[in-house]
Amino acid sequence: MSGLTVEDLPRALRPFAARFGMEAVSDLVERFGGNNILVPKKLEGKYYRQLCDALGCESAGNLCRYLGGKVLYVPSFKKLKTGRRNAALNAERDELAKGGMGERELVCILARRYDLSERQVWRILKQPRTAG
């Protein structure tokens, strides 16, 4: 996921990110998000090949040497992604409204831009906004 930062990560994944970089974490999230993965001890077998496909063999080997034999939960970051999308949608709504556009028209535009139904856009716009 683009834009992912170390601060977005659960504490358990932060040392992994520090050691292997955010690109490796993003690759893990894209391929295994929301799942537990068994990190093999040996650089062979089905699980190792899956890691190679997701991370490349060099990073997969590093991960195996670092966490071999352990089960690693890889979060999906669905709430984070949704929160970021909603914040962007709200910001864009504010800009359109400043330009004098009416609510119904801007909801229609936002629904197309964000590939959402108009009903979902209305729901997002009615949610309380968080500070930040």
Side-chain angles (χ1 to χ4, degrees):
M1 163 186 179
S2 64
L4 193 63
T5 65
V6 173
E7 292 77 32
D8 296 325
L9 300 176
R11 292 199 188 283
L13 276 182
R14 290 178 184 180
F16 175 79
R19 187 176 194 122
F20 300 112
M22 288 304 295
E23 185 177 345
V25 172
S26 291
D27 291 343
L28 271 176
V29 169
E30 280 297 314
R31 180 73 162 76
F32 301 106
N35 293 288
N36 289 307
I37 58 171
L38 174 62
V39 180
K41 290 181 181 181
K42 297 182 180 182
L43 305 184
E44 58 188 30
K46 176 175 91 172
Y47 296 116
Y48 176 67
R49 285 192 303 278
Q50 287 176 347
L51 287 173
C52 282
D53 290 345
L55 305 174
C57 288
E58 182 179 346
S59 293
N62 289 336
L63 177 62
C64 292
R65 285 185 280 282
Y66 181 62
L67 292 174
K70 297 189 176 166
V71 175
L72 175 65
Y73 175 72
V74 182
S76 68
F77 295 102
K78 185 175 180 180
K79 285 183 181 179
L80 176 66
K81 292 175 190 176
T82 301
R84 286 183 175 175
R85 182 213 53 208
N86 292 355
L89 188 145
N90 273 298
E92 194 166 344
R93 178 252 169 238
D94 292 346
E95 287 301 313
L96 291 171
K98 281 181 190 173
M101 187 176 293
E103 288 293 310
R104 287 184 182 174
E105 185 180 3
L106 68 84
V107 165
C108 183
I109 289 169
L110 293 171
R112 286 192 304 262
R113 286 186 184 164
Y114 288 87
D115 195 27
L116 298 168
S117 69
E118 289 181 21
R119 181 181 294 234
Q120 185 63 28
V121 172
W122 282 112
R123 285 182 187 138
I124 292 166
L125 294 176
K126 289 181 181 186
Q127 292 174 356
R129 295 187 193 190
T130 58

